[in-house]
Amino acid sequence: MDQNRLRELLEQVKEGAMDVNAALERMRHLPFEDLGFAKVDHHRELRHGMPEVVLAKGKTPQQVAAIAERLLENSANVLITRADPACAAEVERQCPGAEYFPLSGTLRFWRERTIQGKGIIAVVSAGTSDIFVAEEAQVTAETMGNRVDTVHDIGVAGIHRLMHNRERLTAARVVVVCAGMEGALPSAVGGLVSCPVIAVPTSVGYGASFHGLAALLGMLNSCASNVTVVNIDNGFGAGYVASLINRL
Amino acid sequence: MDQNRLRELLEQVKEGAMDVNAALERMRHLPFEDLGFAKVDHHRELRHGMPEVVLAKGKTPQQVAAIAERLLENSANVLITRADPACAAEVERQCPGAEYFPLSGTLRFWRERTIQGKGIIAVVSAGTSDIFVAEEAQVTAETMGNRVDTVHDIGVAGIHRLMHNRERLTAARVVVVCAGMEGALPSAVGGLVSCPVIAVPTSVGYGASFHGLAALLGMLNSCASNVTVVNIDNGFGAGYVASLINRL
Amino acid sequence: MDQNRLRELLEQVKEGAMDVNAALERMRHLPFEDLGFAKVDHHRELRHGMPEVVLAKGKTPQQVAAIAERLLENSANVLITRADPACAAEVERQCPGAEYFPLSGTLRFWRERTIQGKGIIAVVSAGTSDIFVAEEAQVTAETMGNRVDTVHDIGVAGIHRLMHNRERLTAARVVVVCAGMEGALPSAVGGLVSCPVIAVPTSVGYGASFHGLAALLGMLNSCASNVTVVNIDNGFGAGYVASLINRL
Amino acid sequence: MDQNRLRELLEQVKEGAMDVNAALERMRHLPFEDLGFAKVDHHRELRHGMPEVVLAKGKTPQQVAAIAERLLENSANVLITRADPACAAEVERQCPGAEYFPLSGTLRFWRERTIQGKGIIAVVSAGTSDIFVAEEAQVTAETMGNRVDTVHDIGVAGIHRLMHNRERLTAARVVVVCAGMEGALPSAVGGLVSCPVIAVPTSVGYGASFHGLAALLGMLNSCASNVTVVNIDNGFGAGYVASLINRL
Amino acid sequence: MDQNRLRELLEQVKEGAMDVNAALERMRHLPFEDLGFAKVDHHRELRHGMPEVVLAKGKTPQQVAAIAERLLENSANVLITRADPACAAEVERQCPGAEYFPLSGTLRFWRERTIQGKGIIAVVSAGTSDIFVAEEAQVTAETMGNRVDTVHDIGVAGIHRLMHNRERLTAARVVVVCAGMEGALPSAVGGLVSCPVIAVPTSVGYGASFHGLAALLGMLNSCASNVTVVNIDNGFGAGYVASLINRL
Amino acid sequence: MDQNRLRELLEQVKEGAMDVNAALERMRHLPFEDLGFAKVDHHRELRHGMPEVVLAKGKTPQQVAAIAERLLENSANVLITRADPACAAEVERQCPGAEYFPLSGTLRFWRERTIQGKGIIAVVSAGTSDIFVAEEAQVTAETMGNRVDTVHDIGVAGIHRLMHNRERLTAARVVVVCAGMEGALPSAVGGLVSCPVIAVPTSVGYGASFHGLAALLGMLNSCASNVTVVNIDNGFGAGYVASLINRL
Amino acid sequence: MDQNRLRELLEQVKEGAMDVNAALERMRHLPFEDLGFAKVDHHRELRHGMPEVVLAKGKTPQQVAAIAERLLENSANVLITRADPACAAEVERQCPGAEYFPLSGTLRFWRERTIQGKGIIAVVSAGTSDIFVAEEAQVTAETMGNRVDTVHDIGVAGIHRLMHNRERLTAARVVVVCAGMEGALPSAVGGLVSCPVIAVPTSVGYGASFHGLAALLGMLNSCASNVTVVNIDNGFGAGYVASLINRL
Amino acid sequence: MDQNRLRELLEQVKEGAMDVNAALERMRHLPFEDLGFAKVDHHRELRHGMPEVVLAKGKTPQQVAAIAERLLENSANVLITRADPACAAEVERQCPGAEYFPLSGTLRFWRERTIQGKGIIAVVSAGTSDIFVAEEAQVTAETMGNRVDTVHDIGVAGIHRLMHNRERLTAARVVVVCAGMEGALPSAVGGLVSCPVIAVPTSVGYGASFHGLAALLGMLNSCASNVTVVNIDNGFGAGYVASLINRL
């Protein structure tokens, strides 16, 4: 496409419809706009075919709200992750219509709800304490246009629970598995299903869990070959990649 | 399917065609066989629709050869990873017909070559020194029935090289990116393409690369949302998951 | 017992059968003897009711052989761990009658074979590559007078293999589980059995396994409550504690 | 037992007392029930012969109280660990009758007090600051039906204190040792007693203690062979395994 | 110069204009003065040709204000870094005339504004969340007498943004690049420009970013040869060295 | 002395002045007393010839006050370290007469002030921010009966300051050096003086100082041979060992 | 320049001297050529004004020689780093005329020796064992066209040696400081000179030096503000950046 | 003394016996000489009153021999540490008369054997495998003019061995304790003696000992207040500081 616009431009130059300086100028004019503190890239939706996403952590509520407002002018769906209640309140004040998930701190504007994924994305958590991450994955995948099936509290220390849910897992086209502590669930799930498994280590645990490091290392060393890994607590990333795969 | 076989069994019990003890015995009879030191699982091909894979590292050449021999009786394609030349020689002695890739230590029996992947898998390396990992990913994906396009030496410190190959990358359905040192290439590729990117940190580097830890951490923290990560030097895992995704 | 010997001594002093200086001297005379470079403690067998054990690593073959020779004068059974072939050869030269297990480097003199354990100790490995550690646990437990049941290659990525061996596991009074890579097997086994599980992380793996650290952390964070952990590759320690428990 | 129920089922199918679909349904009907956010497993008591345990950390007071309420319907004894005062208050509000130990944050319902352990479990702490962990081990072991002997403040830098308590330690059937800082006490205790020692590193210390890592590493490297280790501050796990051993 | 003052002194001794004891005394009299808790070194301005700098972190507001007051007697420009609002308020109370930058906590007295740098220093940030570090670099470089061009939010996952700003980057004589998460931007910038690049890892991120460690390791392993690195979040250091280079 | 008391005891047994049971009992009666939560060891003063010391961290104000009260019955001098203001207030309430140093949180009862050290102990800090640790060392050494000379803010980045204080350093019999950040001062001091240098890494710094780890590693690797190291922020330990050395 | 070539191209299109497709083709034709396993970038010399550099580590001698041969066709000077003797021999065989420095494994083709740096680059090492890194920096800086002054063995534990060389250091325009163990020298040098200091941690040391990590952390935490850091043992990077600065 | 020489110089200048330039020259003439690759500092013996020491590791045998030869011209005693047999042979070839200790790789020229220490230095090892470090400490302390008492193999897991040697330990003026694995011995020894204890972690162990890190952390966190620590395997440093203390 860029290819085509470039060709068009060159044709205009050739035909004298545009002079060289103007052409140079146009070629430099890339499709994003400047808010001063953040380059908002409206074309990301085109490039990735996905709604806009804002990571609230590390930004002030005002910054988040300003970015959200600008994004909503061009995007039907906007997802804001890691928003604490104060941030959520500020965004809601400036841009009404969001849905807030306090467990994970996710805030979404979901105005366009076409199903785009071809199958089901299963989002699994090992324990009750891991749900805050699983929720981020679930909300992300839903907002990206997928049917999501969530299964909670099926950790490996009670394998019969896992086996009990085997059919729901094998019915999925992609599985997201969230687990803290020893992080063993993705390996067990990976052995049960034949589709891609995206493992999300969570910071759940204490002592030698080192804030999710134990789970992260466990998942990276999974002996199940169909497992890939994202950052600790990165439910969003897992839901995002699962959505990409489910559209294929 | 297990479901069906179970139902069948119960029907036979109901009809008196099989007695209870025999039924119990059959239900316990699972489809794998015992070599003494390793349970060979012939059904993995069914479950995952993939050839058999053996990790040679940590096994003696004799163990690897024995496993390979048994697998070849039931599988058209067998992939042996991390085989040093001595191991490769022993396998070849017992089971002729393999192809050996010394850079990565991959050995493959590739007797069934149907293309099963729907698109192209791009396998990218940041530098010449990362090719030993990229090769493992490439051979894996090929043997799994995919068309593979390899692009080497396009690290981020020379961004024009990356831009030059942009079209080949965007033509792929999945991209595998192998990079050591700072491991920045997956983020840059992830920003260029809209498909899933599987990042493989390599142990290439010295000093504060800590045998691939720097690259691993970099990739886990990628600001591109379409990136997932596998273990350091795990070209096989990346090729395997890429193949799963490419079949969807 | 020391209590009694002390009382006896005091009685002798009281009765004048021993003078004060001699008594002081005797009280200082503790039951070990001095080889110059190592205090050999013959009473350890009494205290712990267990054969003598020598860690060969970090000692010269000559040192190991000298210690072994002295121990064999007082102990029926002697176990030497981490002995490389050169060490094993030197010990055999000076003290014939040992049995050598090259995979784990264990060397044992097993002259007294009474069964002392009340039940069965199951020694489990996740993969073929973990057997070198499992063997150390097995040989230790056997030499300590236990019936041992070994089950290899039942890692969590193939849960049906684990389920298939469930009865053998539940038949054990203690289970030792050896696993490298993600080290998830102890959690799964811990959920299946109700007896104590001793987890042994192995150094099997590569990259982010960090020589067994990933497995170690995973096991320490096990969500199964009946799991305790020993050092990486410490099959001996696991077999030893399992033996202690099995005698209770 | 499952074996027997299965056989019974098959007999009923054979005799026509149950049709195939009903049998399949029953076989799928596993003994746990779904609260939505957590699978409560009433059969764990059967499997492990132990009261139910809830880890409060990472759950809201409401979630903990709801789980406790459901568990108390089927279990005489329920143990809630890592409950802060707010959580304890909420549980007490919904389910009166608990005993709260604020130092360790343990909350227990102890309605069935039969002694089930065969001997004494000694719970030892190295310093006054480690008692918060020792208390968790002690309460766990008591609630599991054991006689517990606690010995505090006998760290290795005052060996005469340890020697002074030698007889109490040797009288135990299992010893739990809690220590922070250098974590040396388990080795010293391990050398004095001949029974299994369960070492619990505590997060007590500062600077290079790295929140218990120093103690953890020390214990994993213990030169006493009868020592196994649980996670940092995991008094519960130590008390639990000690209880399992003490029932053997 | 010291050389010259020493020669002068010796000349005076030779000529009898100064006696030996006085000379010894003078030679010991170094140019700093003692506040009790901190040696204020007025000559640093001479030695480095730079304003005085105070790190407020770890000092009480009163200590900072006292040091600032003394420094302002001899220096036109004083820079105080890592000052929280309370500290800033106390300094302003005692020494009016400062400018406070709350994002980075920088406080400056900028009374002498001669441009001393020969070219432009570009200060670049990868994301909005990194600006708090970039601001510290910017304020430092400005106060040191440089023209500064700041470019925010041009991380590698959107390479076209980086390319769009290529000319501003290549116009600079030194570039400071602040990035958290995977820390890949310095490599990409380093490949675009031919001048020295000073990389500042920021603590922005979560999970496996380990408070900036991932970015730090990434930058140290940069495959761009023109990159050097300073401590995590050390915007001041980067601005300082950039100023030194820009004066050459 | 124990030797002598034992001999005396045996003589009494021999002479019939004490019966065997009483002798056994006396031999078991060791000189410490039981507060329930802490064994207070009055003989430590005899053994080490030093006042009693209490680490307040990890104990409640009430526990600290109770221990202090008991200790003051037998010891002239009591030192309480890491006491926050609330703890200090509670101790003062129960046991008036203490002196509180809020910077380091040290509380001392100093009723016996004989000088026992043979020379001067120099306590040096690299920067103003390190004084909180240096103060703990200083107060400890003073209370232990030493003349202390403190020199602050002479870090290696201003070597002339260090050289300026060279004579005070060489006048000392032992030097304690407290430094955070790069922790380089002990090496420089170690090269200037010929007496033992005790290095105390402090947690001062940010980013890659990792709470004192950088300074700790630096000091352990000092190329000055006369340097030994204590834990991060352990001013007390440094002052204590310096006192032991200064009495020799 | 690219700008100009682009304008020229557009002018030709405008004038009909080149058709659109040819123009598009030319624009895609970037100035590097494909060796199959490595993109050789002849324009790097233009972009950076520096000779070509090859990192031999991780490449076969044959790969290095092939790259060198191609580079020498376009570049007067080629620098090969981390070349072991076998690699050096192979390169010399194919491309005579190189100079080999075995201590650092540096190989250079130095056919164009114009001095391009404006001042002197001082390359300093803390100890004899650090020279292998300093040599890499020195050879790099020389080949880049600089006058280099090397000063060895002036570590901080002998400060008078450092002071003795003060004048040589202050005469330099940039200083490269190589140090292992505690890595304190850059701070001390940084305090003496007012120019930029590039610190190179070396892997020299043992035990808690952790292969250069201690030195690296020390340098990153330097309290001297004019210090930036490169990777462990990266003498090349330090020499390269020093050369860039010295040309300004 | 430098003070005096300086005064003398100034007097000569005053009296005209020396002109200013000559005085400047003399003041710059510091007492070390230049071998090209190492500044040999003959005055270190004066400053520290100790023999010369050379760390052979990281130097070629030729470099070590050259340094040794030069040192022996001015020093009666020279100690070379970490010399492998090849290095030892080369030194012996050039400078006959050395004594070689192959376990620790220590080589000494001991021509002046006056006893300078006031008491006994005890050098203790926890196990046979730690002797290689203890030997380095012992040889160092002997060569520095001390009476040394060595006690081997008294680790904490056999406390009666330690108690058995209590008197030898309390007879010492300083104690050096070498221990690997959990590194608990220094705490236990520290509690028994009242003199300074220098702890040397050794790299003995495997798995989670992480090459001595576990022992190092344990010792830094010792709850015995009289313990300071040196680098892993640094027997020399411990022996050196013990010698300094023993001369006081």
Side-chain angles (χ1 to χ4, degrees), chain B residues 103 128, chain G residues 37 56-67 87 90-91:
Chain B
L103 207 54
T128 305
Chain G
F37 50 82
K57 189 169 174 286
K59 302 194 180 77
T60 64
Q62 285 69 32
Q63 287 178 321
V64 176
I67 298 174
C87 176
E90 177 65 23
V91 174

Side-chain angles (χ1 to χ4, degrees), chain B residues 11-196:
Chain B
E11 300 284 5
Q12 291 179 302
V13 168
K14 185 184 177 186
E15 295 156 16
M18 185 181 291
D19 72 13
V20 167
N21 283 335
L24 277 169
E25 194 50 38
R26 287 286 286 278
M27 287 164 73
R28 194 180 298 117
H29 191 71
L30 288 172
F32 51 85
E33 105 193 56
D34 200 325
L35 287 185
F37 51 82
K39 304 276 178 292
V40 175
D41 183 0
H42 298 312
H43 278 239
R44 197 185 293 172
E45 191 169 4
L46 296 182
R47 267 190 298 129
H48 284 175
M50 292 292 180
E52 290 294 340
V53 183
V54 184
L55 173 66
K57 190 170 171 287
K59 303 196 179 74
T60 65
Q62 285 70 33
Q63 287 178 322
V64 175
I67 297 173
E69 191 170 35
R70 190 60 70 90
L71 291 172
L72 284 165
E73 292 167 14
N74 293 282
S75 298
N77 293 345
V78 170
L79 192 68
I80 302 172
T81 61
R82 309 287 166 99
D84 58 26
C87 175
E90 177 66 21
V91 174
E92 297 255 24
R93 206 182 55 78
Q94 282 193 37
C95 324
E99 188 181 0
Y100 185 54
F101 300 82
L103 207 54
S104 56
T106 314
L107 192 72
R108 79 167 151 201
F109 296 86
W110 194 14
R111 304 186 292 198
E112 156 59 48
R113 303 195 175 195
T114 318
I115 289 296
Q116 305 204 0
K118 296 183 182 163
I120 290 168
I121 295 175
V123 173
V124 177
S125 76
T128 305
S129 309
D130 301 310
I131 297 180
F132 79 100
V133 176
E135 187 187 84
E136 194 182 86
Q138 170 193 353
V139 174
T140 299
E142 278 173 9
T143 315
M144 300 311 189
N146 296 283
R147 276 181 303 268
V148 179
D149 184 20
T150 58
V151 191
H152 294 315
D153 202 25
I154 56 166
V156 293
I159 278 188
H160 55 293
R161 299 184 190 177
L162 173 59
M163 299 310 261
H164 185 64
N165 287 285
R166 187 173 177 171
E167 276 174 56
R168 286 168 71 187
L169 298 178
T170 52
R173 213 158 169 254
V174 200
V175 184
V176 171
V177 184
C178 306
M181 301 179 77
E182 80 268 66
L185 187 57
S187 291
V189 169
L192 287 181
V193 304
S194 55
C195 69

Side-chain angles (χ1 to χ4, degrees), chain C residues 188-200:
Chain C
V189 169
L192 287 180
V193 303
S194 55
C195 69
V197 171
I198 302 171
V200 194

